[in-house]
Amino acid sequence: GLLGVFGTSQHAALAQAVKLGTPERPIHLNQAWNALQRDLFYTTSQGSQMMPYDWFMALEQSNSEVMFVKLLESFGYLPNRSKRNNPDSLPVGFVKDSDERGDWIGLTCAACHTNQINFGTRTLQIDGAPTDADMYALISGIGQSAAATSASITDPKFKRFADRVLPKNHTPADEKRLYDNLKEFSASFNDYVKASTTKVPWGRARLDAFGMIFNRATAIDLHDPSNNKEPNAPVSYPFLWDTHWHDVVQWNGSAPNLLAIERLGRNVGEVIGVFAHTDIKKTLMPPLYFKSSAKRLNQLMLEEELLSKLRSPMWPAKWAPIDTEKAAAGRKLYSALNCDNCHAITPRNKPLTRMRVTMTPLSEVKTDPVMVTNSATRMSKTGILEGVRMPLLPFVDPLPAEVLSLELTAKIVVGAILAPPDWDETKAQASPETLRLLRSIKVGQPRTDGLRDVLSSAKANLEKGGTFGMLKSAADYVEKNKKEAEGYAYKARPLDGIWATAPYLHNGSVPNLYQLLLPAAERDKTFHVGSREFDMVNVGFDTKTPGAATSLFDTSLPGNSNAGHDSYGTDKLNHDQRMQLVEYLKTL
């Protein structure tokens, strides 16, 4: 048997390899989180409410009797084998959200900012890394399954659904109410899917987050379908380590990030984009706020206690040693090419501190313009908010009939975060298991007074005439870019952990680090996205092999351009010099 072939020590090593470093039990690199912190990140609700929880768990796939939830891993979402705060074994970032209206299935930022890498014979799980999941496959799959299940009240598919959702002694009247509610949900959700369908598919590892947030905030939450626009500017999911410490966030640098209230605004905006329920009502009298399902206390805890501590993953040199001679030569090239003028070096031997990131003009970097142009020019009707001063302050002009979508969304976010904490929200913040985990890592229960402190600080800042960026007009951001950068700009962030974040450029149009150092004309024009097999030489994922879990990326299509970032001297390097730079980038 195995002992006879391998011997005792080899057999033990083989057994260990089977237990660790597999997709079922991946290896977590040291990113300054322990297992409890990781579980909190994976399972703490932020207020996302995609559909009723029991419906989601009872839903079958549209064309079979297999449960829909079993499809999630095929869309690229990661299994979560931990049962802590996850009794139904949902994937990473899928959670139950509860409020006075019931229990809901929702997403957290972990669903889109956690990834696995098949690094040789081992599987690594990287926290804060961009997912390779297919968000459109998820929402379209839910829409198809809901439509198939609600096709007819007499269909066996609906009967099975009803038996799973309703009590055992339910009546025909109970079934009729459930059917009507499901039919209404299916129509609404499929309208949302239709509004999210693009001529150029996003594919794996990308999402037009701004477009989706704009559509939800200005069309769904404002009840004005005319504000829907095609979300045609998909970008790579940004990696999260260091983000807490940046002065601005988002690929276009449009979100100020220095104050806790600004970071809370960024997270509330994110959850509004992924199914938070926001009840916007017209009001001309203070207090001006909107009741929202956004779990602000949870978001403060996740941001200030967890993400602030997350560090980038170090290249696992014990399994793939770095060529120190090549890396040293690459370090000199990095300096000679002035790469650190834009991409500052984050020292690993020091605590993270506030950092100013570089915004690079589009006219200089010459990458695909669609995302930054959309966010700076898209307009929306204000509808029931026309004429409202948002927030209600003397120096804020009333909202006109139409404004920048970015500005209107920021106003809606402000209305959501300024709502006073109420008893229901505080009670529903965290499950008992989440609270136990918080105590285990000495964070403590999210407290209402913590949110009040943040809101009071924001109010004081405003009353003193401070520059509270969340409440400044998004037009200021556009004008600043036009004035200072002669056009729009993209964020050039520190590159620590960059090895674990392929594909590259803001829209994911370059498959690996080596190709990023080539002239744009020499980069792959098409490649496959979705494989987790790591290319240790070029530093990226295997993009040559198509499969059921991959999508084709065509750089000739609108929004997919792989041009740019080649006017800094890297286009003049030879092959050996590029490999030296790649070797150095592994060390960051």
Side-chain angles (χ1 to χ4, degrees):
L2 285 173
L3 286 175
V5 175
F6 294 109
T8 305
S9 61
Q10 289 92 336
H11 175 63
L14 178 64
Q16 180 69 5
V18 169
K19 288 196 291 185
L20 293 174
T22 64
E24 290 73 30
R25 294 194 62 191
I27 296 168
H28 295 274
L29 300 180
N30 180 11
Q31 295 186 253
W33 279 357
N34 60 31
L36 293 176
Q37 290 168 305
R38 189 176 300 117
D39 282 344
L40 274 174
F41 179 61
Y42 291 173
T43 65
T44 299
S45 175
Q46 295 172 250
S48 170
Q49 298 182 346
M50 190 156 44
M51 66 186 297
Y53 188 86
D54 55 350
W55 291 15
F56 184 75
M57 299 305 292
L59 200 64
E60 295 176 352
Q61 297 176 27
S62 60
N63 57 358
S64 79
E65 295 183 29
V66 179
M67 305 310 296
F68 180 82
V69 72
K70 294 185 180 296
L71 273 178
L72 299 180
E73 289 184 34
S74 71
F75 298 152
Y77 296 101
L78 301 179
N80 183 5
R81 308 304 179 192
S82 172
K83 290 287 189 179
R84 274 193 295 243
N85 215 27
N86 185 33
D88 292 322
S89 298
L90 293 170
V92 169
F94 284 73
V95 299
K96 179 189 287 188
D97 182 79
S98 300
D99 64 8
E100 67 275 14
R101 300 186 308 127
D103 294 336
W104 309 86
I105 187 71
L107 299 176
T108 77
C109 51
C112 299
H113 299 282
T114 313
N115 203 12
Q116 284 186 353
I117 293 174
N118 295 336
F119 196 86
T121 60
R122 298 169 177 84
T123 296
L124 313 178
Q125 188 146 316
I126 312 296
D127 292 319
T131 182
D132 66 356
D134 189 336
M135 173 69 86
Y136 184 80
L138 170 67
I139 62 172
S140 62
I142 290 174
Q144 291 163 17
S145 290
T149 307
S150 60
S152 169
I153 196 171
T154 60
D155 193 292
K157 198 172 199 66
F158 174 74
K159 292 293 186 183
R160 292 190 297 271
F161 176 82
D163 287 342
R164 295 184 185 109
V165 170
L166 297 173
K168 286 186 178 180
N169 58 347
H170 64 267
T171 66
D174 295 330
E175 284 194 11
K176 180 66 165 61
R177 278 192 296 272
L178 176 64
Y179 179 79
D180 290 344
N181 290 336
L182 179 63
K183 193 78 173 175
E184 182 181 3
F185 167 81
S186 176
S188 173
F189 197 88
N190 278 291
D191 283 345
Y192 163 73
V193 172
K194 183 178 179 181
S196 306
T197 304
T198 57
K199 299 180 186 70
V200 178
W202 305 332
R204 292 270 177 160
R206 296 199 309 167
L207 171 73
D208 184 353
F210 269 36
M212 296 292 278
I213 292 171
F214 291 164
N215 280 352
R216 290 212 51 102
T218 70
I220 294 175
D221 294 339
L222 268 183
H223 311 290
D224 187 348
S226 70
N227 280 336
N228 272 315
K229 302 287 193 303
E230 181 185 357
N232 63 348
V235 296
S236 289
Y237 297 91
F239 45 103
L240 294 188
W241 50 82
D242 303 354
T243 297
H244 173 90
W245 300 96
H246 296 174
D247 61 337
V248 295
V249 293
Q250 308 297 1
W251 284 113
N252 60 355
S254 60
N257 196 55
L258 290 174
L259 304 175
I261 191 73
E262 292 169 344
R263 294 189 289 275
L264 177 60
R266 176 237 302 168
N267 287 315
V268 169
E270 173 258 326
V271 78
I272 284 176
V274 284
F275 311 106
H277 173 74
T278 305
D279 186 16
I280 300 179
K281 291 183 170 66
K282 184 176 180 65
T283 177
L284 295 174
M285 298 294 291
L288 181 65
Y289 60 84
F290 311 126
K291 186 169 178 56
S292 168
S293 67
K295 297 286 193 290
R296 295 167 294 171
L297 300 177
N298 282 3
Q299 290 180 323
L300 282 170
M301 180 273 293
L302 289 167
E303 178 72 37
E304 306 301 322
E305 298 290 345
L306 293 184
L307 288 175
S308 65
K309 297 176 174 63
L310 182 66
R311 300 301 298 253
S312 58
M314 291 186 68
W315 175 271
K318 62 182 178 180
W319 300 315
I322 288 174
D323 186 321
T324 55
E325 187 176 333
K326 275 187 180 180
R331 175 66 184 96
K332 292 178 181 177
L333 282 169
Y334 194 86
S335 180
L337 293 169
N338 297 315
C339 300
D340 40 13
N341 283 356
C342 292
H343 301 288
I345 304 298
T346 303
R348 290 187 175 276
N349 59 348
K350 296 179 181 178
L352 291 169
T353 58
R354 292 281 157 223
M355 60 185 85
R356 183 179 179 85
V357 296
T358 302
M359 294 302 301
T360 308
L362 178 63
S363 58
E364 177 185 315
V365 72
K366 296 183 173 64
T367 53
D368 192 283
V370 177
M371 183 270 173
V372 71
T373 304
N374 278 7
S375 64
T377 60
R378 175 174 162 172
M379 304 292 287
S380 289
K381 298 172 186 173
T382 56
I384 60 173
L385 295 181
E386 183 180 351
V388 173
R389 295 179 185 271
M390 299 266 309
L392 287 176
L393 294 168
F395 58 83
V396 176
D397 293 331
L399 279 171
E402 191 174 36
V403 295
L404 283 168
S405 300
L406 184 64
E407 180 176 0
L408 182 56
T409 300
K411 305 287 192 184
I412 291 170
V413 167
V414 168
I417 64 175
L418 290 183
D422 59 32
W423 181 86
D424 287 334
E425 181 188 7
T426 307
K427 180 182 177 184
Q429 284 305 300
S431 70
E433 180 67 7
T434 297
L435 297 179
R436 189 185 69 77
L437 293 177
L438 288 169
R439 288 191 292 271
S440 299
I441 61 172
K442 297 181 174 57
V443 171
Q445 178 173 349
R447 296 180 55 180
T448 306
D449 56 1
L451 180 57
R452 288 200 182 102
D453 288 345
V454 171
L455 297 182
S456 297
S457 173
K459 186 180 292 186
N461 186 287
L462 281 167
E463 289 170 352
K464 292 176 184 176
T467 57
F468 177 32
M470 265 292 300
L471 302 181
K472 288 178 68 62
S473 168
D476 290 350
Y477 146 75
V478 176
E479 291 306 316
K480 178 176 181 294
N481 275 334
K482 286 181 178 177
K483 181 179 178 182
E484 296 183 4
E486 298 178 357
Y488 308 131
Y490 284 116
K491 179 180 174 182
R493 57 176 294 160
L495 299 184
D496 53 312
I498 193 67
W499 66 271
T501 66
Y504 297 102
L505 292 185
H506 73 276
N507 62 346
S509 60
V510 178
N512 54 58
L513 285 179
Y514 181 81
Q515 289 210 17
L516 189 61
L517 303 176
L518 289 172
E522 296 179 26
R523 297 168 184 162
D524 287 350
K525 300 296 185 292
T526 61
F527 56 92
H528 296 274
V529 180
S531 170
R532 293 182 181 142
E533 299 300 323
F534 196 70
D535 178 349
M536 297 188 198
V537 177
N538 298 303
V539 184
F541 293 104
D542 170 25
T543 59
K544 304 297 183 185
T545 310
T550 66
S551 55
L552 182 67
F553 194 111
D554 185 343
T555 62
S556 69
L557 298 176
N560 287 4
S561 170
N562 66 350
H565 201 274
D566 57 354
S567 59
Y568 301 101
T570 55
D571 56 330
K572 305 295 193 298
L573 301 178
N574 59 38
H575 170 76
D576 289 342
Q577 289 172 316
R578 292 190 179 101
M579 294 309 298
Q580 290 166 357
L581 256 181
V582 168
E583 201 70 10
Y584 171 65
L585 291 173
K586 292 179 186 178
T587 72
L588 297 181

